[in-house]
Amino acid sequence: EAFRYIGSNPQIRLVIAVVSVHCLFTMSFDSMLPILAKREFDGGTGLFSALLMGIGGGALIGTLSLSFLRDASLRGRLFIATGIASGLTLAIAGLAPTRELAVLGIALSGGAQAMFVALGSALIQSVVQDEIRGRVMSLYALFGGGVMAIMIFSNGAAADVVNVRYLIWVPGLTFALLLSVWVLMHSE
């Protein structure tokens, strides 16, 4: 029933597709943070912890800041902006020449990603009928989380042969560019 509902609603289908592609490209990097900390910055558990706290702190600040958004008409534009920002901030983190800039990039990415996913959820919930909302949101979580899990597995295998920085900045920048081009092609 939820599949049919999503299939018949292009708005919901689009948000789920964009969030799924986002999860594929930008939200599968955290499993590579120990390698980034150790191999690229010659850091240990302290740097790894700082990177993880950056993700969480950024996510906390980002989602809390959404609670101040009173104008629902801004959700769509902010959804696009945070999607692009989550890719660009990963590029900053992956290309960072210093530990501090890497932590900052990761923190900004955590904030942008959390806001993006929360906004996607809000956009869907605002238009889905009450009697099917739970099933639609379950598929939303399944698609995003499913592709993210596949990419985490792939990144783990690739990290043995590819510099981990590339596995962070290339997908991030790719997503930012794909979403930007899509927006430009579909702008009114």
Side-chain angles (χ1 to χ4, degrees):
E1 187 177 15
F3 282 109
R4 272 188 304 230
Y5 188 86
I6 292 168
S8 68
N9 190 315
Q11 262 184 319
I12 295 170
R13 202 171 50 239
L14 177 62
V15 171
I16 290 174
V18 171
V19 169
S20 296
V21 173
H22 175 266
C23 288
L24 179 74
F25 280 98
T26 72
M27 293 189 68
S28 56
F29 72 93
D30 54 341
S31 63
M32 296 179 291
L33 292 181
I35 299 169
L36 180 70
K38 185 167 178 64
R39 282 191 206 160
E40 300 302 317
F41 293 109
D42 198 28
T45 56
L47 178 57
F48 173 58
S49 296
L51 291 165
L52 282 180
M53 288 188 296
I55 296 170
L60 178 65
I61 291 167
T63 52
L64 285 175
S65 68
L66 283 179
S67 68
F68 295 103
L69 182 65
R70 299 286 179 234
D71 188 353
S73 68
L74 296 175
R75 285 183 187 157
R77 281 181 254 150
L78 191 55
F79 177 71
I80 297 298
T82 56
I84 293 169
S86 70
L88 293 177
T89 54
L90 271 185
I92 291 169
L95 294 168
T98 66
R99 296 172 178 200
E100 295 79 15
L101 192 54
V103 171
L104 176 63
I106 292 294
L108 293 172
S109 184
Q113 289 176 4
M115 291 174 74
F116 179 81
V117 173
L119 285 162
S121 177
L123 289 169
I124 290 172
Q125 290 187 58
S126 67
V127 297
V128 173
Q129 298 168 341
D130 290 344
E131 56 273 3
I132 196 158
R133 185 173 294 129
R135 285 169 279 183
V136 170
M137 293 310 296
S138 293
L139 289 177
Y140 170 78
L142 176 69
F143 289 131
V147 296
M148 185 171 36
I150 291 167
M151 196 63 174
I152 288 170
F153 178 78
S154 301
N155 282 339
D160 289 333
V161 293
V162 177
N163 184 306
V164 72
R165 287 178 176 270
Y166 293 115
L167 298 174
I168 295 172
W169 78 262
V170 171
L173 188 58
T174 300
F175 180 77
L177 290 173
L178 287 173
L179 186 55
S180 296
V181 167
W182 184 88
V183 167
L184 289 173
M185 290 175 58
H186 293 88
S187 60
E188 296 167 27

